[in-house]
Amino acid sequence: MSATTTNHRRGFRLFALDMNEIGLIVILLVLYFGFGATTNGFLSANNHLSLLRDAASIAIAAWAVTLIIIAGEIDVSVGPMVAFTSVCLAFMLKADVNVALAILAALAIGGALGTFAGSLRAYFGVPSFVATLGLWSALRGMSFFTTNALPVTFPDNAFLDILADNMFGIPTSAIVMLVLFAIFSFVSQKTAYGRSIFAVGGNANAAELCGINVARIRVLIFTTSGVMAALAGVLLTARLGSGNAGTASGLEFDVIAAVVIGGTALSGGRGSMLGTLLGVFVITLIGNGLVLRGINPFFQEVVRGVIIVAAVLANILVTRYRERRIFGA
């Protein structure tokens, strides 16, 4: 088997689109023009900026979760991690801690919590779902306990105002999202670390025999996820002007849905950042369109659940089809 074929099957692509990504582009066009033709305000400039901000809230965490799922793991703690680091940042700013130090501390807290979850998986054999589910409960509870379920306000801050505002007519958070997209795409496709993640997801035992430190890879991807969730928390705090324990509720489902819709296999070993980017915009467009059409918020949760199940089913069917083509050839 040639190196080119191997790399294609693993998902290392810079320009070629697979069937899933082409399908997602078609879905995005249908959603965009469908909502544009039937929903008042959808095509307005302000709504486009809102779409970019909402997409950034999901995507920044989704880049790291893509790596986690490619490695055959899962992280369901993203939402509470965002909320907890947002609350921590707000408390530090309220105590007049320097904004740069406060942001670095929030990122460090996220990284430390991610490292804890990764260590449970890597060194104690705790399933990643269980480890991050425990973290999900603990962080959400701690956020509400420390704030009494009230927003934590802080003095106006010029730097956070920049993060919440636009640069060159584009939301700052969207610029951060795209810069990170380029970085994560390069890392996943062009570095030994990225190739190791695919190898671990494909077959962890075989990867270990090839000399890859599987435990270290697992810890690093969860550390990265914690840092990215904390960064999303920082940007959300800047956008809201306060730290709120209830913020980012259900974000983990949007993130996982976006990654899976993007074609990343839940069994590991396959996925791409481009697919995740398209999945993020599918989730964002649907949510935005339903809100503008005045659809009941509770029914929106139903739609989200249907999307997740349909995405997983499609993912499984595509995987089976590819396996039949590879082994039936």
Side-chain angles (χ1 to χ4, degrees), residues 142-154:
M142 185 62 71
S143 298
F144 280 112
F145 175 75
T146 55
T147 63
N148 289 320
L150 298 173
V152 180
T153 59
F154 48 83

Side-chain angles (χ1 to χ4, degrees), residues 12-200:
F12 298 115
R13 305 180 315 281
L14 278 177
F15 303 108
L17 298 177
D18 66 14
M19 290 176 56
N20 182 74
E21 291 163 354
I22 293 172
L24 286 174
I25 291 173
V26 172
I27 290 171
L28 281 172
L29 291 174
V30 170
L31 287 171
Y32 183 83
F33 289 109
F35 281 128
T38 61
T39 307
N40 291 330
F42 182 81
L43 295 178
S44 68
N46 284 338
N47 190 55
H48 281 74
L49 294 177
S50 179
L51 279 169
L52 287 173
R53 290 191 182 94
D54 291 343
S57 298
I58 300 172
I60 289 171
W63 304 145
V65 173
T66 301
L67 297 182
I68 285 177
I69 296 180
I70 288 173
E73 307 296 338
I74 195 74
D75 186 355
V76 298
S77 67
V78 172
M81 184 84 75
V82 170
F84 182 72
T85 52
S86 171
V87 167
C88 290
L89 175 62
F91 273 125
M92 286 186 281
L93 293 175
K94 188 175 183 177
D96 291 327
V97 175
N98 177 271
V99 63
L101 291 177
I103 291 174
L104 288 175
L107 297 178
I109 290 170
L113 291 169
T115 300
F116 174 72
S119 298
L120 289 177
R121 174 68 184 101
Y123 300 115
F124 297 95
V126 178
S128 55
F129 176 79
V130 175
T132 56
L133 182 63
L135 204 58
W136 180 95
S137 180
L139 293 179
R140 185 64 78 187
M142 185 62 71
S143 298
F144 280 112
F145 175 75
T146 55
T147 63
N148 289 320
L150 298 173
V152 180
T153 59
F154 48 83
D156 290 339
N157 186 280
F159 183 72
L160 290 186
D161 288 342
I162 293 174
L163 295 181
D165 206 348
N166 300 336
M167 294 180 66
F168 312 110
I170 302 173
T172 305
S173 58
I175 294 174
V176 173
M177 171 188 75
L178 294 174
V179 170
L180 289 173
F181 168 72
I183 293 172
F184 274 81
S185 296
F186 176 81
V187 169
S188 64
Q189 297 174 13
K190 293 296 184 180
T191 68
Y193 172 63
R195 291 190 289 272
S196 296
I197 293 173
F198 278 89
V200 170

